[in-house]
Amino acid sequence: MLLPVRDAAGTLAACLDSLRAQTFGDFEVIAVDDASRDASATMLSAAAAEDPRVHVLAGGHGLVASLNAAARAARGDLLARMDADDVALPERLARQVAALASEPAVDILGCRVSVLDHGGRDNEGMKAYVRWSNTLVTHEAMADDILVESPLVHPSVMMRAAALRALSGYRGFDGPEDYDLWLRALAAGLRFGKVPEVLVQWRDTPSRLSRADPRYAAERFFALKVEHLVARLRAGEAVVLWGAGPIGKAWARALAARGHVIRAFVEVDPRKIGQTVHGAPVVTVAAAGGHRDCAHLAAVGRPDARARIRDAAARLGIDRLVAVA
């Protein structure tokens, strides 16, 4: 278990208790104290004294350095992730170990999660994300939607140590290290999986990194999405965007800046059809069938709208459609 810890005294006990309660007992916890200013270091030392499976490393160089240090110190063939403010249900490790044993082709395995609510009203976005992520349980579903959002909740993941080594570990940069790892894994041909059970309670607090750290801002995710998609497209390849709203326009600007021609926008709103957006015509769904030589992007925010676009594109014989957001 790779467990980075920074100023987590308020939640660390519940996290460690949940690991001690695992029905699968053959594991070690590599906890890295990242220069905590509260009682976290003391709590970790006490846990290590009580349980020989707990090993504590000194950190102080940030999350990515802590994760990579923990991975180097780990002795097992499987590496599970957890954050110090989350709770693992008792069967978590047992279910994931069994799934990876039965599915040797899977390299990175998540599970469904639930939200440990902090009691505020500002986490509806996180709850919506969790509902969406929990629908993606196969490699194909996660790969299809990986440019929409991260299909795996980082602290729910168990991965093969060999897979992480093949990717040279987590990358330290000005962006989300977990989403970057999934994108690099997919590009390298690794496969995802997900146990279709809730095995982790993911705590939402105002201080959560994805809320408080600029590395997890929407523009950093978008930059990674663009980088990944451009690597998949042919140089200068023409693109058709299904959706002329803010998402489609943002992708049009980003791709045009990288030398891709925006051939058309596809819309169902009759008020938009016939207009020109960023120099490209807005056309009907039927007209999109005349652009089968292009890359097609479903650039809408709603999962149901993406599903309808996929169905429509399939009926038109368009087999190169990628969902983005």
Side-chain angles (χ1 to χ4, degrees), residues 89 91 95 110-113 134 137 194-200:
L89 299 187
E91 289 290 325
R95 290 279 194 269
C111 66
R112 285 177 170 154
V113 305
N134 282 347
V137 295
K194 189 175 290 182
V195 178
E197 301 174 49
V198 172
L199 298 175
V200 171

Side-chain angles (χ1 to χ4, degrees), residues 178-190:
D178 52 344
Y179 189 45
D180 173 68
L181 188 68
W182 316 149
L183 289 169
R184 290 190 289 123
L186 184 62
L190 301 187

Side-chain angles (χ1 to χ4, degrees), residues 100-155:
L100 285 169
S102 66
E103 300 181 65
V106 172
D107 302 289
I108 300 173
L109 178 76
C111 66
R112 285 177 170 154
V113 305
S114 63
V115 177
L116 270 176
D117 200 329
H118 65 80
R121 296 186 176 182
D122 58 347
N123 66 350
E124 288 306 312
M126 180 180 183
K127 291 178 179 178
Y129 163 72
V130 165
R131 288 192 295 270
W132 168 80
S133 173
N134 282 347
T135 68
L136 308 176
V137 295
T138 66
H139 170 81
E140 291 72 21
M142 287 184 271
D144 284 348
D145 270 11
I146 198 166
L147 294 183
V148 173
E149 179 57 281
S150 173
L152 293 159
V153 173
H154 195 192

Side-chain angles (χ1 to χ4, degrees), residues 177-265:
E177 78 293 330
D178 52 344
Y179 189 45
D180 173 68
L181 188 68
W182 316 149
L183 289 169
R184 290 190 289 123
L186 184 62
L190 301 187
R191 290 188 63 82
F192 304 136
K194 189 175 290 182
V195 178
E197 301 174 49
V198 172
L199 298 175
V200 171
Q201 294 177 319
W202 194 26
R203 193 182 303 273
D204 183 30
T205 65
S207 61
R208 187 163 50 88
L209 276 180
S210 56
R211 287 181 179 271
D213 194 312
R215 290 175 297 172
Y216 303 92
E219 56 267 24
R220 298 306 307 142
F221 277 85
F222 185 69
L224 277 178
K225 294 174 186 180
V226 172
E227 176 186 328
H228 183 79
L229 179 63
V230 168
R232 291 166 59 176
L233 297 176
R234 298 187 297 271
E237 184 174 8
V239 174
V240 172
L241 287 150
W242 292 60
I247 295 173
K249 291 174 182 176
W251 277 95
R253 290 190 296 269
L255 293 174
R258 288 159 179 79
H260 294 277
V261 174
I262 307 305
R263 183 72 60 80
F265 288 86

Side-chain angles (χ1 to χ4, degrees), residues 259-288:
H260 294 277
V261 174
I262 307 305
R263 183 72 60 80
F265 288 86
V266 181
E267 269 290 348
V268 295
D269 186 344
R271 295 170 298 179
K272 296 180 180 180
I273 294 167
Q275 295 182 8
T276 299
V277 176
H278 292 314
V282 180
V283 303
T284 64
V285 169

